Amino acid sequence: MTTQAVTSGLPIPALLGIAVASIVVLLFLIIKVRMHAFFALIIVSLITAVVAGVSADELLATLVGPFGTTLGNIALLVGFGAVLGRIVETSGGAKVLADSLLKRFGEKRAPLALSVASLLFGFPIFLDAGFIVMLPIIYTVARRLGGGLLLYALPATGAFLMMHALVPPHPGPVAASGILGADVGLVLMVALLVGLPTWYVAGYRLALVLARQHPDMPVPNLLGEPPKDNPNPPKFGTVLLVLLLPLVLIFMNTGLNTLGTAGALPEDALWVNVLVFIGNTPIALLISTLLAMYLLVIRRRTEKLGGALENLVDDALAPVCSIILITGAGGMFGGVLTATGIGGAMADGLDAIGLPLILAGFLIAVIMRVAQGSATVAGTTAAGLMAPAVAASGETSPLALACLVVAIVAGAITFSHVNDSGFWLVSRFLGMTTKQALMTWSVIATAIGFMAFGLVWILYLFV
């Protein structure tokens, strides 16, 4: 992340005091004043820069530089991911995916089928949107098979939680990757490496245990009857192709880069450069989104498209604009901490108390999550706070940076409670009381965060 170099001249205790005060003010504005995180981050960044001694002629560059750099890293990824998810959602692909997996797994393994469907569907689609789309399917299966709603709902939400928390192109890991300068492809590989066992143990198995403690949960009528089947649904293989293609392309990019660095491939070969280019995360998502537009929208419509596709894209991009701006502002906050020397002082403080970077990032994300509720804001803010400390530590290994990103976003998903919008969304649609949500949803989210952190820390030790 590029920042404007600034000489503060303040002693280390003063810089650390400014850092602590800036975090307190940020939390106060978000929690007590209920200010939008975008404005809160910008205001705190501005005040922090001024107090730390940034001159008037350096101030704008110090703020705008890291803001623009962060947006350049995450805007395309979040935007393409949102559109891809919206296309799969509106085409009926989610229902096709769930129905096909249910048929393959059998009724006895319906919770696993719904969890696997949510796992696949949760790659491009944000948690709240994916949950709403899967909800009619969960309701239908629960009504048909019995056993209580949570037996089918909690394994699905556990899968969405893991994907939303750890895996690009979701905004938290993408933003943290951009702020820390980590390779998104490597972050994706590390996230899946630790995320899949985490999903199975904490998102699926634990969810079953918790669901069986509430066997009599009825299916609410909040959505009425499930929607009628789409007369022209996509095929299961088509939906699977659209969802897995970006993963394949991104893995190809990472693999070719690794082989090229090791000298196993000619780095100047045209075919290598072409494959590496199309495997870059923004390009991979662009290709997959365009393919989804053709296979799931254009090819399946007999009438004229008119503005349908344009409206679909607008509907997908509108909700993520706020998220993109928040992540850019989080990058600005981190840039200010770097430019003023506060980040170096924080790194020295971490070294002095012997707290490892990966543990510090996880704990800061946990604190931010508990304090203000949003996993995206928590991960982004923690990454912004840790970026200067990571830079000052000299940690440049691509795999180590990817592990740090996953550790931070793992902390950002823990301890979901009443200040988290996802907590209320899931509990209200599942008909749970606040106590039941704290005993189920909150436990699963926390278990996912801690298990993912434990696994990624083990991986980090061998880097």
Side-chain angles (χ1 to χ4, degrees):
M1 181 173 58
T2 303
T3 56
Q4 180 75 12
V6 176
T7 302
S8 173
L10 295 175
I12 289 179
L15 291 175
L16 292 176
I18 293 172
V20 172
S22 66
I23 296 171
V24 171
V25 172
L26 179 62
L27 293 178
F28 175 78
L29 292 176
I30 293 175
I31 299 170
K32 295 296 184 182
V33 182
R34 309 294 295 177
M35 182 179 290
H36 193 281
F38 173 63
F39 283 96
L41 283 164
I42 289 179
I43 291 171
V44 171
S45 298
L46 177 60
I47 294 174
T48 302
V50 172
V51 173
V54 178
S55 62
D57 59 333
E58 296 173 321
L59 187 57
L60 187 60
T62 302
L63 296 172
V64 174
F67 180 81
T69 300
T70 305
L71 286 184
N73 286 323
I74 63 98
L76 291 177
L77 306 190
V78 175
F80 289 146
V83 173
L84 178 59
R86 181 67 175 172
I87 291 172
V88 175
E89 171 190 342
T90 56
S91 68
K95 188 175 186 306
V96 168
L97 187 66
D99 288 347
S100 299
L101 288 174
L102 191 60
K103 185 182 299 182
R104 286 166 170 79
F105 280 85
E107 291 187 354
K108 291 184 178 180
R109 295 184 176 180
L112 180 59
L114 291 172
S115 193
V116 171
S118 301
L119 198 69
L120 294 173
F121 193 48
F123 169 66
I125 297 183
F126 299 162
L127 185 151
D128 52 354
F131 175 75
I132 292 298
V133 172
M134 286 294 293
L135 204 53
I137 305 167
I138 295 170
Y139 281 1
T140 301
V141 173
R143 288 190 181 105
R144 189 170 72 192
L145 302 182
L149 174 63
L150 297 190
L151 182 64
Y152 309 98
L154 288 184
T157 57
F160 279 123
L161 269 169
M162 189 282 290
M163 295 298 287
H164 182 80
L166 304 181
V167 181
H170 291 280
V174 168
S177 300
I179 292 171
L180 292 181
D183 179 83
V184 176
L186 274 177
V187 172
L188 178 58
M189 293 180 66
V190 171
L192 290 176
L193 182 64
V194 306
L196 291 177
T198 297
W199 154 72
Y200 185 75
V201 174
Y204 172 63
R205 285 295 178 184
L206 177 61
L208 289 179
V209 172
L210 296 174
R212 291 188 176 109
Q213 296 176 5
H214 305 273
D216 300 324
M217 286 288 294
V219 179
N221 295 318
L222 297 175
L223 301 181
E225 291 299 318
K228 296 181 179 180
D229 291 338
N230 192 314
N232 184 28
K235 295 181 179 179
F236 174 78
T238 303
V239 179
L240 205 60
L241 169 65
V242 167
L243 294 179
L244 296 184
L245 179 61
L247 292 175
V248 173
L249 294 178
I250 292 168
F251 284 159
M252 177 186 67
N253 170 277
T254 303
L256 290 176
N257 277 324
T258 302
L259 292 173
T261 302
L265 288 176
E267 295 187 31
D268 57 347
L270 178 61
W271 68 273
V272 173
N273 291 329
V274 170
L275 292 178
V276 167
F277 173 75
I278 66 174
N280 278 295
T281 306
I283 305 301
L285 283 171
L286 172 61
I287 292 172
S288 302
T289 304
L290 293 175
L291 181 65
M293 288 180 179
Y294 173 72
L295 293 179
L296 302 182
V297 180
I298 298 174
R299 195 178 71 170
R300 294 174 53 248
R301 286 180 180 268
T302 56
E303 72 276 10
K304 292 184 179 180
L305 282 177
L309 192 56
E310 181 181 359
N311 292 335
L312 187 151
V313 173
D314 284 338
D315 291 341
L317 292 179
V320 302
C321 289
S322 176
I323 293 173
I324 291 173
L325 289 175
I326 289 172
T327 54
M332 175 191 293
F333 185 42
V336 168
L337 297 180
T338 300
T340 56
I342 294 175
M346 292 175 62
D348 292 340
L350 291 174
D351 289 339
I353 63 176
L355 196 63
L357 284 175
I358 193 168
L359 178 58
F362 174 77
L363 292 177
I364 291 173
V366 169
I367 293 169
M368 294 299 300
R369 166 68 156 173
V370 172
Q372 54 75 45
S374 168
T376 300
V377 173
T380 301
T381 306
L385 287 166
M386 289 302 300
V390 171
S393 72
E395 183 62 85
T396 57
S397 165
L399 187 55
L401 288 175
C403 290
L404 288 171
V405 168
V406 174
I408 288 172
V409 295
I413 202 64
T414 59
F415 297 109
S416 171
H417 62 99
V418 295
N419 63 354
D420 176 18
S421 60
F423 175 91
W424 294 111
L425 177 78
V426 171
S427 64
R428 296 306 94 170
F429 274 109
L430 296 183
M432 292 192 289
T433 65
T434 300
K435 181 180 179 180
Q436 288 173 329
L438 289 170
M439 294 171 61
T440 54
W441 162 270
S442 300
V443 173
I444 293 172
T446 303
I448 287 173
F450 274 87
M451 181 173 175
F453 171 66
L455 293 177
V456 81
W457 197 354
I458 293 173
L459 180 61
Y460 182 77
L461 293 176
F462 290 96
V463 174

